[in-house]
Structures are given as structure tokens and as C-alpha cells.
């Protein structure tokens, strides 16, 4: 999209330059005339041949080719809003390279602030009054360094963010940082959350499962908090917290369908086992819909057959809940 904006700007500039050259040439010809004009009245009202809408395409292409040989159009010659819009499509690496050519534009605080907030959606430092001389470019470098540190050692990574004043040592602030950040390694994140159950509790409360179908809500949950590869105490803790949060977000559904945290807990395990059964290439005899309904209702007798059947259809059509 950035290249498209670039082409539009260049074409507009080329057309304007070509139009100005044509009208300047006509003014020169009029100035060289001596004496009264020896033209017919009809010729005086003749439409110029070089208007912008009907400009010669081949000539425009030749002019454009000559401009391309000279190099790119200088962004500093464009309106600041347009230059900033063009550079906003660059990532941090390309923006650093652009700052070597356009130093003022490449170091614009608005661009680096956008990069920080689009990559790390929540930081405690965003909500504080920033001191004079604060640099979002420097903040981006510190956030990137802290994320790399976290992916090697979670405790050291969080300590790095706190030492730089980026994060406040509070479970809710750390949970928001994790929830709105996509650069953290999920394996290291699982280790950290297994150690910091207080942060895990706050992270679960950030999810809103209102009016979501149970398998879709479980997918959304495991998208932020990855499920462990093996069954154990940590997986049980995750499903227990999810069950209570899902019921808290859907009180009407709890009354209509007869759901409870214990029933949701059982259904979650049934969905995980069904996902493995239907998606694993090692399982030859796939579980049928009738078998799933029968097995699930043995453990959750208050749940209707239609509701359990819809659960099966969702996994069959969409896929694994923890993929």
C-alpha cells in the first residue's frame, strides 16, 4: 500500500511539472511576437494542447523515466502529513534505514510511538507523564531488548522492564502487558505463568467470553494462554479458571442450558479429547457424533443432546480447540 501511495504522488507531481512546462512555453512564444497578433479570432480561443487531463501519455512516461534515473522523490519536498503516512507503513528496521536519508522524518516521535503501541499494546509507562526529552525510539529499543531477554529467561525479562520503568511491579499491570503483547515466546510464557499464579489470575479476568460459543471461547483462551503439551496440574488449573470465567461472562446461558463451572470443566476436557481424536492422523477409527454425545452426557447429565451435538459439529468443522 505504501508503494501505491508513492506512485500516486509521483504521477501527480509529474503531471503538474509537465503542465507548467507547457504553459511556460506558450507564454514564451507570446512574448516573442512583435506587433499586432496576426491570428484569426477563432485561433485566439483555441484550447491549449497540453492540459493535464489530456496530457500525452508517452511524453509523461519519458519524463517519469528521466526522473527515475535521477532517483526517488525527496520525501521532504512532500507535505509532512503525506510523508509521515508513507513512512508509517515501514517496520522498525526499515524506518531506521529511512532515517539515514530523511533524518527528521525517520526520527519522528509519532512514527515510533505508533510502532511501540502496535507491538506492545500496554505498558505502565504509557499512562505516566513523560519527561522532557523522552524518546519513543529509545523506548522501542528497550522494549525489543526486554522481549528478547524474556524469551531467554522470563524472570530476567520482567526485571529488565521494571528496571527501565516500563512496567510496574503489580500482577494486573504485568498481565495486561502479556495480554497485549505478541512477541513473547509461548513456552517461556507458560513457565512464567506457572510460577506466577497471581499474574495468571489477572490474565484470565482480561478475557471476555460473553455471547461466545464454548469451543470458540476455549480457542480464544488458548490463543493467549497456550495449553501445555501434556496433561498435568497446570492444564487442570487453566481449565478450572476458564470454566469459572466462562460462567461469569454468560449468566444467561448458565440458566438456560444448565451450565455450571463443573459442567464446563467436563465439557472442556471432552472437547480437547475430541479435537485430538478428529485431527490426529494416528487415530484411524474416529469418534462419531453419537458416541461423543453418549460419552459426554454420562459425565454431564444436565446438558442436552442438542447442545452436545453442536459442540461436536464445531470441532468437526473448525478444528482443534488448542491448536
Amino acid at each position: 500500500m505504501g508503494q501505491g501511495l508513492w506512485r500516486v504522488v509521483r504521477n501527480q507531481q509529474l503531471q503538474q511539472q509537465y503542465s507548467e512546462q507547457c504553459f511556460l512555453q506558450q507564454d514564451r512564444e507570446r512574448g516573442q511576437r512583435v506587433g499586432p497578433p496576426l491570428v484569426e479570432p477563432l485561433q485566439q480561443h483555441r484550447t491549449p494542447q497540453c492540459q493535464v487531463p489530456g496530457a500525452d501519455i508517452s511524453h509523461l512516461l519519458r519524463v517519469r523515466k528521466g526522473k527515475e534515473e535521477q532517483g526517488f522523490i525527496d520525501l521532504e519536498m512532500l507535505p509532512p502529513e503525506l510523508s509521515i503516512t508513507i513512512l508509517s507503513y515501514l517496520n522498525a528496521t526499515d524506518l531506521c534505514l529511512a532515517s539515514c536519508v530523511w533524518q527528521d522524518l525517520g526520527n519522528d516521535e509519532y512514527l515510533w510511538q505508533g510502532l511501540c503501541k502496535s507491538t506492545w499494546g500496554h505498558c505502565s509507562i504509557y499512562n505516566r507523564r513523560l519527561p522532557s526529552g523522552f524518546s519513543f525510539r529509545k523506548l522501542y529499543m528497550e522494549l525489543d531488548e526486554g522481549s528478547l531477554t524474556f524469551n531467554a529467561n522470563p524472570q530476567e525479562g520482567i526485571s529488565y522492564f521494571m528496571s527501565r520503568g516500563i512496567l510496574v511491579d503489580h500482577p494486573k499491570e504485568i498481565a495486561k502487558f502479556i495480554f497485549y503483547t505478541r512477541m513473547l515466546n509461548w513456552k517461556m510464557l507458560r513457565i512464567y505463568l506457572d510460577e506466577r499464579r497471581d499474574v495468571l489470575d489477572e490474565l484470565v479476568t482480561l478475557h471476555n467470553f460473553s455471547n461466545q460459543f464454548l469451543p470458540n471461547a476455549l480457542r480464544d483462551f488458548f490463543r493467549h494462554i497456550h495449553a501445555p503439551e501434556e496433561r498435568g496440574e497446570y492444564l487442570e488449573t487453566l481449565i478450572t479458571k476458564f470454566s469459572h470465567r466462562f460462567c461469569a461472562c454468560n449468566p444467561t446461558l448458565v440458566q438456560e442450558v444448565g451450565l455450571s463451572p463443573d459442567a464446563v470443566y467436563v465439557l472442556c476436557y471432552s472437547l480437547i479429547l475430541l479435537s485430538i481424536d478428529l485431527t490426529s492422523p494416528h487415530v484411524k477409527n474416529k469418534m462419531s457424533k453419537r458416541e461423543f454425545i453418549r460419552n459426554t452426557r454420562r459425565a454431564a447429565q444436565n446438558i442436552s443432546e442438542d447442545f452436545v451435538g453442536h459442540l461436536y459439529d464445531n470441532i468437526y468443522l473448525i478444528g482443534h480447540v488448542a491448536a
Side-chain angles (χ1 to χ4, degrees):
M1 188 172 181
Q3 294 180 355
L5 290 173
W6 190 283
R7 294 192 187 98
V8 171
V9 175
R10 297 190 68 177
N11 290 335
Q12 290 178 351
Q13 287 191 343
L14 291 175
Q15 290 180 358
Q16 183 178 1
Q17 292 176 1
Y18 181 64
S19 175
E20 292 176 354
Q21 291 177 0
C22 292
F23 285 106
L24 287 176
Q25 184 177 359
Q26 289 181 355
D27 292 341
R28 248 187 254 110
E29 292 177 355
R30 292 194 190 99
Q32 292 176 356
R33 293 175 183 170
V34 180
L38 301 177
V39 293
E40 297 179 359
L42 293 176
Q43 294 178 344
Q44 293 179 358
H45 300 284
R46 186 172 54 190
T47 304
Q49 297 180 357
C50 52
Q51 292 182 352
V52 175
D56 188 5
I57 301 299
S58 61
H59 182 78
L60 285 175
L61 292 175
R62 289 195 298 270
V63 173
R64 180 177 179 180
K65 183 177 180 181
K67 291 292 183 181
E68 289 178 350
E69 293 176 354
Q70 297 177 6
F72 292 103
I73 295 178
D74 190 358
L75 288 182
E76 294 181 350
M77 302 299 294
L78 301 178
E81 297 82 1
L82 183 57
S83 302
I84 295 298
T85 302
I86 293 173
L87 293 179
S88 65
Y89 292 96
L90 303 180
N91 56 29
T93 302
D94 294 336
L95 189 58
C96 288
L97 295 176
S99 65
C100 297
V101 181
W102 304 288
Q103 185 174 3
D104 293 337
L105 292 173
N107 293 325
D108 186 84
E109 285 294 289
Y110 175 80
L111 293 174
W112 287 102
Q113 181 181 3
L115 284 175
C116 289
K117 294 188 176 181
S118 62
T119 310
W120 299 272
H122 177 84
C123 293
S124 303
I125 196 173
Y126 295 159
N127 301 322
R128 295 203 300 264
R129 183 183 296 274
L130 301 178
S132 59
F134 179 83
S135 173
F136 275 99
R137 178 173 179 172
K138 181 181 178 182
L139 177 61
Y140 184 96
M141 303 304 175
E142 292 178 347
L143 286 168
D144 187 63
E145 179 68 22
S147 298
L148 294 175
T149 305
F150 182 94
N151 293 338
N153 188 311
Q155 294 292 345
E156 292 184 3
I158 296 297
S159 299
Y160 177 89
F161 290 129
M162 294 178 181
S163 64
R164 296 297 190 279
I166 298 174
L167 276 181
V168 175
D169 189 8
H170 190 276
K172 189 173 183 178
E173 286 294 308
I174 299 175
K176 287 183 177 180
F177 175 79
I178 294 173
F179 186 80
Y180 294 106
T181 300
R182 298 293 178 267
M183 290 189 63
L184 305 180
N185 182 272
W186 65 271
K187 292 184 179 180
M188 295 299 173
L189 184 59
R190 186 181 65 189
I191 295 174
Y192 180 78
L193 293 177
D194 194 14
E195 297 176 354
R196 292 291 303 270
R197 296 300 176 90
D198 54 343
V199 177
L200 178 60
D201 292 338
E202 295 292 343
L203 187 59
V204 172
T205 58
L206 292 175
H207 291 81
N208 184 11
F209 302 125
S210 300
N211 300 321
Q212 287 192 26
F213 194 36
L214 179 59
N216 298 332
L218 193 59
R219 288 189 186 94
D220 184 46
F221 180 73
F222 284 138
R223 192 175 296 116
H224 290 91
I225 308 175
H226 290 266
E229 299 175 354
E230 65 284 342
R231 179 177 177 177
E233 188 267 338
Y234 181 62
L235 178 60
E236 294 179 1
T237 301
L238 291 181
I239 295 180
T240 300
K241 295 181 181 300
F242 168 81
S243 302
H244 284 84
R245 182 59 181 170
F246 182 83
C247 292
C249 294
N250 297 278
T252 304
L253 183 65
V254 170
Q255 296 178 358
E256 294 178 353
V257 184
L259 289 177
S260 65
D262 293 337
V264 174
Y265 180 90
V266 173
L267 293 176
C268 288
Y269 267 110
S270 298
L271 291 172
I272 293 175
L273 295 176
L274 178 64
S275 299
I276 297 174
D277 185 274
L278 295 182
T279 59
S280 176
H282 304 291
V283 180
K284 296 182 180 180
N285 298 323
K286 305 295 184 182
M287 185 184 301
S288 65
K289 185 175 182 179
R290 181 175 298 178
E291 291 174 340
F292 177 74
I293 294 175
R294 183 179 67 249
N295 297 335
T296 303
R297 295 202 67 210
R298 287 177 181 175
Q301 299 178 359
N302 296 331
I303 308 302
S304 64
E305 290 187 9
D306 292 338
F307 185 81
V308 179
H310 291 320
L311 296 179
Y312 182 93
D313 295 337
N314 184 279
I315 303 301
Y316 184 83
L317 295 175
I318 299 180
H320 207 300
V321 292

